[in-house]
């Protein structure tokens, strides 16, 4: 099953229930070599579901000691496709190494 690292709204149980039909169990991890900023979302359905027009977004950092804290979730292939449908085009999904040594999909700045 694919792993998804989330640092933002996909950690919200309401967003999980809406996208996956269930709440996800996960564990803490970190994404090394990245920093987090904010992105203004304009998609009304995403704003309504998340409750905010400003979502976090990560991008690679020039400082290798930078890291972003988050949660790792195990998804089905179908749930990963559903997550793709939730994320707006300002994000792209990338396979990244985590601090734990695991590889997980992460939505990074497009």
């Amino acid at each position: 099953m694919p792993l998804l690292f989330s640092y933002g709204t996909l950690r919200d149980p309401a967003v999980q229930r809406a996208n996956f039909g269930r709440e996800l169990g996960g564990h803490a991890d970190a994404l090394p070599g990245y920093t987090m900023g904010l992105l203004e979302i304009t998609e009304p359905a995403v704003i309504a579901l998340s409750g905010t027009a400003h979502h976090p977004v990560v991008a690679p950092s020039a400082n290798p000691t930078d890291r972003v804290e988050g949660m790792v979730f195990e998804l089905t292939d179908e749930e990963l496709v559903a997550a793709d449908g939730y994320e707006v085009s300002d994000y792209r999904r990338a396979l990244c190494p985590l601090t734990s040594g695991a590889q997980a999909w992460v939505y990074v700045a497009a």
Side-chain angles (χ1 to χ4, degrees):
M1 292 178 77
L3 297 178
L4 176 69
F5 176 79
S6 177
Y7 52 87
T9 60
L10 284 172
R11 294 181 298 177
D12 183 319
V15 172
Q16 293 174 4
R17 286 190 302 273
N19 283 289
F20 313 126
R22 67 183 181 107
E23 290 183 23
L24 305 175
H27 62 275
D29 209 332
L31 178 64
Y34 279 76
T35 58
M36 186 165 39
L38 284 178
L39 174 69
E40 185 172 2
I41 303 296
T42 58
E43 178 63 40
V46 174
I47 295 169
L49 182 56
S50 70
T52 182
H54 293 93
H55 290 199
V57 63
V58 296
S61 171
N63 183 348
T65 64
D66 283 341
R67 61 190 252 157
V68 174
E69 303 291 329
M71 294 289 291
V72 176
F73 301 109
E74 198 171 279
L75 302 179
T76 65
D77 291 334
E78 294 79 16
E79 289 169 334
L80 191 57
V81 170
D84 288 344
Y86 169 73
E87 297 295 352
V88 297
S89 63
D90 295 303
Y91 294 92
R92 67 177 177 84
R93 181 164 43 99
L95 193 58
C96 299
L98 303 178
T99 302
S100 67
Q103 294 266 338
W105 292 108
V106 183
Y107 290 101
V108 301

